[in-house]
């Protein structure tokens, strides 16, 4: 059988799309002329190619999506869109979508049912479970977003179990910044003179608006330094790329801090006035010199001191970027890494300073007034997040998603709702995650036939694609320091092409069938109207523009009240020592904590991973246009350091076998000098095993196959790079 290349497939698909839309008995030239002359409608909305939700315009022609472009007002897009945004716009017509409600009738077998039948059966089962086991036996497990819909449902039934995917992404960051600073600060790219990015690849997990700001800063003379085991996409435009031994970012930060303090080049005024716990921190780390950091990281001591000195010379217009997935979910020391991120920036005195770290402007939206309801008392969280004798310092608002199969096995969870999340592919150990199916009721609310739906769901209730639904406005925030608050709205661009519903209507149907009548007594249009009411603007204005900007609400300067520091912390200051950690017998300040595992043998490597500019998680891998890019650049291949590969007799393009205690897989290998020798690297998006997603099926491998479902006890993260793999030449057979 000849396998058709994706390039040929795309051409054929395009021709087939035209042919299938032709009416019978029509001249092709007449059709082409009519299609070309058809009017075009331009509709503002927000992208869903990843979680950044950039602003975009969608052009509709002949009732179909014609093209998309970035909204120039929106901070995240700044008039540009990445490959994911363009490719995923076409996925509204993709072949991997769930087109109507489905009910499991066997092992990976489903039958289509009506929405009425789905609501009735799910509602009845939910009622029985709550009646027998209580509302706290129900869990909402999601990627994040639509919290107000989920919390309304969980509050009504008395469940504390709202769980997000964030432990696989950035829980260490939010946990620490909330405790040490009381808020989140973001990099002021527009005004900085020195930018240090460690484990942060804005050109891979791309946000167009951020990259636009970074490149403009570089053009005006700002220095860009990237520290990463891999020569990532952001390193391409950097003034300097510094490879680091993976798992040792904490040592680098400690070495920088030691240099700043010991050489007395830190901002002593800022520390004296606005920092609590400095003496405790320094007492614990006064022996952690740049030389000690060099031994651990592999970065020369003089280079570590150079970074510290250059940052101090440019402060407060210098920052260590606060990072995201690349810093805050990977290691046993990720919580301490997040703590040191706060410490280094505070030592530079750059917090609430132009060119350093500033808050993102916010604005308060209104909400629909609903009748007050009697809310039952909630039990303890099933995952133990925030529970004294389990995981007391883990944020209850985020939860611990990777251990849900254990919670089901223990009988804590009986009904599971999985929204816009695919833990069988994006959480550790998919065979273990298949235990989700043991719950008495599993309802998946996806767009596509993802692995979790196929293997575990009793019912699949497809949500309308993001271009097919309208949603309430949201405040634009995160990653970018900006003084001017913005709000944006997702507006329906086309009518649903399948028998799908937006989440609000799905929850209305389920809750009413379970006996919780009129739990959502509003429409999305009423939500939009209520949201903008406090802003004194007409909802029509927001719907027409898609994004609105308001007068500046952020000014530089440390927050003060009655002449005293007024952060939302216990002391009102930046707290180098976390009291809650000490309360539960942990070290209050960050000190050196080694990685959980280290490679030793000649064939052993730490397995690390990261994003590519054309993929987001696993969600985008069934898109043939984006996978064509993967084909062009051998995007699924494993990266290996050239020197290490030569010792193992491995050449570029060879098939290799990679194995850990959890899995053994085969993959082609890219040999490069642009990777630290201690590790091998794979992109995080691939490894699909849902047969119904044919484009993604068995393309590449996924790091989650190789790691166990561990829990870092302070923040609950998955420790996604605490795994050693062996690599050998040749296949497994």
């Amino acid at each position: 059988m000849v396998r058709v290349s994706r390039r040929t497939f795309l051409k054929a698909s395009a021709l087939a799309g035209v042919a299938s839309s032709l009416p019978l008995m029509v001249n092709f030239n007449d059709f082409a002329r009519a299609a070309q002359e058809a009017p075009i409608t331009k509709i503002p909305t927000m992208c869903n190619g990843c979680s950044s939700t950039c602003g975009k315009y969608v052009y509709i022609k002949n009732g179909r999506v014609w093209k998309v472009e970035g909204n120039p007002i929106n901070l995240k897009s700044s008039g540009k869109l990445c490959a994911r945004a363009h490719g995923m716009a076409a996925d509204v017509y993709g072949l991997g979508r769930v087109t109507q409600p489905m009910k499991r009738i066997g092992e990976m077998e489903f039958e289509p049912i009506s929405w009425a039948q789905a609501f009735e059966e799910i509602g009845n089962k939910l009622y029985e479970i709550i009646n027998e086991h209580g509302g706290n036996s129900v869990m909402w497990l999601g990627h994040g977003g639509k919290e107000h819909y989920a919390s309304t449902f969980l509050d009504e039934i008395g469940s504390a179990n709202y769980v997000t995917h964030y432990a696989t992404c950035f829980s260490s960051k939010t946990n620490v910044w909330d405790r040490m600073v009381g808020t989140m600060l973001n990099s002021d790219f527009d005004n900085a003179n020195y930018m240090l990015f460690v484990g942060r690849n804005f050109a891979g997990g791309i946000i167009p608006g951020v990259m636009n700001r970074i490149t403009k800063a570089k053009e005006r003379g700002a220095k860009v330094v990237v520290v990463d085991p891999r020569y990532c996409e952001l390193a391409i435009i950097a003034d300097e790329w510094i490879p680091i031994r993976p798992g040792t970012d904490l040592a680098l930060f400690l070495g920088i801090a030691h240099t700043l303090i010991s050489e007395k080049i830190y901002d002593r005024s800022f520390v004296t006035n606005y920092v609590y716990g400095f003496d405790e921190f320094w007492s614990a780390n006064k022996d952690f010199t740049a030389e000690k950091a060099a031994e651990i990281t592999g970065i020369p001591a003089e280079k570590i001191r150079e970074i510290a000195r250059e940052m101090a010379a440019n402060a407060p217009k210098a920052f260590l970027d606060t990072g995201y997935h690349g810093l805050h979910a990977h290691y046993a020391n990720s919580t301490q890494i997040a703590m040191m991120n706060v410490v280094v920036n505070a030592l530079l005195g750059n917090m609430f300073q132009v060119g350093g770290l500033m808050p993102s402007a916010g604005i308060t939206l209104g909400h629909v007034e609903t009748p007050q309801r009697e809310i039952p008392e909630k039990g303890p969280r099933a995952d133990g997040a925030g529970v004294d004798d389990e995981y007391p310092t883990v944020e209850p608002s985020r939860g611990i998603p990777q251990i849900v199969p254990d919670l089901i096995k223990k009988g804590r969870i009986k009904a599971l709702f999985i929204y816009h999340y695919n833990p069988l592919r994006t959480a550790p150990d998919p065979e273990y995650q298949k235990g989700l199916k043991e719950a008495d009721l599993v309802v998946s609310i996806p767009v596509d036939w993802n692995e979790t739906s196929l293997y575990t769901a009793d019912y699949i209730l497809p949500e309308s694609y993001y271009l097919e639904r309208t949603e309430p406005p949201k405040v634009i925030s995160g990653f970018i320091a900006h003084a001017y608050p913005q709000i944006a709205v997702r507006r329906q661009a086309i009518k649903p092409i399948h028998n799908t519903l937006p989440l609000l209507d799905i929850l209305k149907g389920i809750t009413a069938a379970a006996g919780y009548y009129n739990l959502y007594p509003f429409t999305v249009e009423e939500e939009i109207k209520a949201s903008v009411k406090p802003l004194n603007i007409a909802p029509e204005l927001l719907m027409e523009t898609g994004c609105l900007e308001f007068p500046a609400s952020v000014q530089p300067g440390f927050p003060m009240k009655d002449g005293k520091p007024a952060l939302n912390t216990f002391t009102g200051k930046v707290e180098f020592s976390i009291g809650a950690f000490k309360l539960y017998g942990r070290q209050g300040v960050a000190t050196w904590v080694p990685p959980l595992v280290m490679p030793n043998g000649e064939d052993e490597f730490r397995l690390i991973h990261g994003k590519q500019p054309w993929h987001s998680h696993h969600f985008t891998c069934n898109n043939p246009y984006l996978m064509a890019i993967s084909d062009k650049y051998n995007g699924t291949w494993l990266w290996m350091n050239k020197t290490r590969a030569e010792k193992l007799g491995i050449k570029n393009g060879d098939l290799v076998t990679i194995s850990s205690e959890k899995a053994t897989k085969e993959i082609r290998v890219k040999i490069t000098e642009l990777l630290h020798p201690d590790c091998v690297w794979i992109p995080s998006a691939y490894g699909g095993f849902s047969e119904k997603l044919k484009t993604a099926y068995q393309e590449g491998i996924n790091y989650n196959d190789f790691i166990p479902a561990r829990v870092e006890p302070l923040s609950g993260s998955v420790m996604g790079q605490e795994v050693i793999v062996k690599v050998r030449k040749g296949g497994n057979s």
Side-chain angles (χ1 to χ4, degrees):
M1 178 179 178
V2 178
R3 184 178 181 186
V4 179
S5 72
R6 284 208 178 83
R7 192 167 299 168
T8 303
F9 166 76
L10 293 177
K11 292 179 180 178
S13 297
L15 291 173
V18 172
S20 64
S21 61
L22 283 172
L24 295 176
M25 307 297 292
V26 69
N27 180 279
F28 183 83
N29 290 331
D30 292 340
F31 166 79
R33 190 179 303 109
Q36 185 175 7
E37 295 172 356
I40 299 168
T41 304
K42 179 182 178 181
I43 299 175
T45 189
M46 290 193 294
C47 186
N48 208 170
C50 75
S51 57
S52 293
T53 59
C54 293
K56 66 162 58 170
Y57 292 119
V58 183
Y59 291 80
I60 307 300
K61 190 173 185 179
N62 296 308
R64 293 174 62 88
V65 177
W66 181 49
K67 71 172 185 176
V68 294
E69 67 182 16
N71 187 325
I73 300 174
N74 190 289
L75 283 163
K76 295 287 185 69
S77 53
S78 297
K80 303 293 183 181
L81 293 175
C82 70
R84 301 169 300 189
H86 288 281
M88 293 308 288
D91 233 36
V92 69
Y93 306 113
L95 300 178
R97 292 187 59 184
V98 183
T99 59
Q100 61 190 104
M102 306 296 290
K103 177 182 178 180
R104 184 179 298 278
I105 57 173
E107 190 71 24
M108 301 217 288
E109 287 187 79
F110 293 82
E111 67 176 7
I113 58 175
S114 68
W115 282 105
Q117 181 182 344
F119 292 152
E120 181 180 5
E121 292 185 9
I122 293 170
N124 288 340
K125 290 184 179 183
L126 182 62
Y127 174 83
E128 292 171 359
I129 289 170
I130 294 173
N131 191 50
E132 181 176 353
H133 302 285
N136 214 49
S137 67
V138 179
M139 174 177 283
W140 184 278
L141 180 62
H143 184 273
K146 315 284 180 67
E147 287 90 349
H148 62 303
Y149 292 157
S151 62
T152 297
F153 168 51
L154 296 177
D155 287 347
E156 182 72 11
I157 65 176
S159 172
N161 299 312
Y162 176 78
V163 180
T164 71
H165 89 293
Y166 298 135
T168 67
C169 197
F170 60 82
S171 283
S172 299
K173 175 181 179 177
T174 54
N175 189 0
V176 162
W177 276 82
D178 183 60
R179 297 179 192 276
M180 294 181 71
V181 188
T183 189
M184 191 66 244
L185 301 178
N186 296 302
S187 301
D188 183 5
F189 306 106
D190 294 337
N191 299 292
N193 293 331
Y194 189 104
M195 298 182 281
L196 176 61
F197 299 96
V198 182
R200 185 53 161 140
N201 180 14
F202 275 113
I206 189 169
I207 302 174
V210 174
M211 282 306 302
N212 181 51
R213 284 167 163 78
I214 293 173
T215 53
K216 285 185 176 179
K218 182 174 169 59
E219 288 171 0
R220 63 171 168 76
K223 185 169 183 177
V224 178
V225 178
V226 171
V227 178
D228 197 299
R230 183 177 76 102
Y231 188 76
C232 64
E233 288 83 1
L234 185 59
I236 295 171
I237 71 161
D239 295 282
E240 193 169 5
W241 168 58
I242 304 171
I244 185 172
R245 180 172 292 116
T248 66
D249 300 323
L250 175 60
L252 171 64
F253 294 171
L254 286 166
I256 291 173
H258 189 280
T259 302
L260 292 171
I261 296 169
S262 64
E263 296 188 3
K264 295 182 173 56
I265 54 175
Y266 69 99
D267 190 327
R268 280 171 283 182
S269 176
F270 185 92
V271 169
T272 299
N273 292 313
Y274 306 124
V275 169
Y276 168 83
F278 172 82
D279 290 340
E280 182 183 345
F281 168 79
W282 182 234
S283 177
N285 293 289
K286 59 185 177 182
D287 295 327
F288 205 98
T289 63
E291 282 75 17
K292 186 171 182 178
E295 293 175 7
I296 297 171
T297 62
I299 300 173
E302 192 53 38
K303 175 57 67 174
I304 294 172
R305 283 191 286 265
E306 177 187 304
I307 293 171
R309 291 165 182 164
E310 288 186 351
M311 294 186 81
N314 285 281
K317 294 189 175 185
F319 61 73
L320 165 60
D321 188 79
T322 57
Y324 206 58
H325 178 70
L327 274 183
H328 301 302
H330 289 342
Y331 298 105
N333 58 23
S334 285
T335 297
Q336 289 78 14
I337 289 173
M339 294 171 72
M340 283 306 303
N341 196 298
V342 173
V343 169
V344 169
N345 282 300
L347 291 174
L348 295 171
N350 67 13
M351 293 184 174
F352 304 97
Q353 294 294 322
V354 171
L357 300 183
M358 289 283 289
S360 290
I363 197 166
T364 302
L365 299 176
H367 62 275
V368 175
E369 297 291 337
T370 57
Q372 192 169 1
R373 304 172 73 100
E374 186 176 344
I375 304 299
E377 184 177 350
K378 297 179 181 180
R381 286 186 60 94
D383 60 3
V387 178
D388 279 355
D389 56 352
E390 296 192 55
Y391 298 101
T393 61
V394 174
E395 294 174 285
S397 61
R398 313 285 184 182
I400 309 174
Q402 65 267 34
I403 60 170
V404 175
D406 272 355
L407 308 180
I408 294 169
K409 188 176 181 179
K410 293 175 181 177
R412 294 186 180 186
I413 296 300
K414 297 293 183 179
L416 182 63
F417 289 82
I418 306 172
Y419 173 67
H420 194 56
Y421 182 39
N422 182 18
L424 261 68
R425 185 58 291 164
T426 60
D429 192 352
E431 290 304 313
Y432 164 75
Q433 297 299 334
K434 288 179 182 178
L436 297 175
K437 68 182 179 183
E438 301 304 324
D440 294 350
L441 173 65
V442 181
V443 178
S444 179
I445 307 173
V447 169
D448 61 356
W449 279 98
N450 64 46
E451 287 79 1
T452 301
S453 298
L454 185 61
Y455 281 87
T456 73
D458 298 309
Y459 296 88
I460 305 175
L461 306 183
E463 184 180 33
S464 297
Y465 202 65
Y466 80 92
L467 295 174
E468 301 171 326
R469 62 183 193 253
T470 296
E471 293 176 354
K474 61 186 295 184
V475 178
I476 301 173
S477 63
F479 313 124
I480 307 172
H482 56 100
Y484 298 86
Q486 292 188 346
I487 63 171
V489 70
R490 173 167 287 141
R491 179 178 161 189
Q492 181 179 344
I494 61 172
K495 294 179 180 179
I497 60 176
H498 301 300
N499 186 16
T500 60
L501 291 174
L503 180 62
L504 178 59
D505 290 343
I506 293 173
L507 283 176
K508 283 182 177 182
I510 292 173
T511 54
Y516 302 99
Y517 302 109
N518 209 26
L519 189 57
Y520 303 93
F522 50 79
T523 64
V524 69
E525 289 76 18
E526 289 170 334
E527 283 191 279
I528 295 170
K529 185 177 180 180
S531 294
V532 301
K533 185 177 180 181
L535 308 180
N536 294 317
I537 62 169
E540 292 79 12
L541 177 62
L542 177 60
M543 299 299 283
E544 288 172 6
T545 61
C547 182
L548 293 173
E549 186 172 277
F550 296 84
S553 62
V554 172
Q555 295 294 330
F558 200 92
M560 303 290 287
K561 183 177 181 181
D562 299 327
K564 297 180 180 179
L567 290 180
N568 189 29
T569 60
F570 183 74
T571 63
K573 298 181 177 183
V574 178
E575 299 191 353
F576 280 13
S577 179
I578 297 179
F581 290 179
K582 292 193 285 187
L583 180 64
Y584 291 103
R586 301 284 183 162
Q587 183 87 19
V589 296
T591 57
W592 171 244
V593 174
L596 195 65
V597 296
M598 291 292 288
N600 290 311
E602 285 193 358
D603 61 346
E604 289 188 351
F605 301 82
R606 183 182 297 278
L607 177 64
I608 67 172
H609 62 271
K611 290 185 178 180
Q612 295 170 315
W614 58 89
H615 280 304
S616 308
H617 309 295
H618 180 58
F619 180 67
T620 61
C621 282
N622 201 54
N623 184 286
Y625 303 97
L626 298 178
M627 285 301 291
I629 301 176
S630 295
D631 278 356
K632 181 177 180 179
Y633 293 107
N634 296 324
T636 62
W637 289 17
L638 175 87
W639 284 35
M640 177 182 284
N641 176 270
K642 181 180 178 182
T643 301
R644 294 290 302 276
E646 288 175 349
K647 290 181 179 179
L648 296 174
I650 297 173
K651 298 179 180 179
N652 193 61
D654 279 352
L655 184 70
V656 297
T657 298
I658 174 173
S659 60
S660 73
E661 294 179 357
K662 283 289 177 183
T664 299
K665 301 283 183 177
E666 298 176 359
I667 193 70
R668 296 287 171 186
V669 65
K670 172 185 174 69
I671 305 304
T672 178
E673 296 178 344
L674 303 178
L675 183 70
H676 195 281
D678 279 13
C679 60
V680 288
W681 179 90
I682 56 174
S684 58
Y686 304 104
F689 58 94
S690 169
E691 295 181 1
K692 291 183 176 289
L693 298 177
K694 297 186 184 302
T695 301
Y697 186 59
Q698 293 186 343
E699 290 286 350
I701 59 177
N702 193 285
Y703 72 98
N704 282 302
D705 292 330
F706 299 93
I707 61 175
R710 298 191 186 104
V711 179
E712 189 276 306
L714 284 174
S715 298
S717 65
V718 301
M719 299 186 286
Q721 291 182 171
E722 291 284 18
V723 59
I724 305 304
V725 295
K726 292 189 175 185
V727 181
R728 63 174 175 82
K729 184 176 180 178
N732 192 39
S733 56

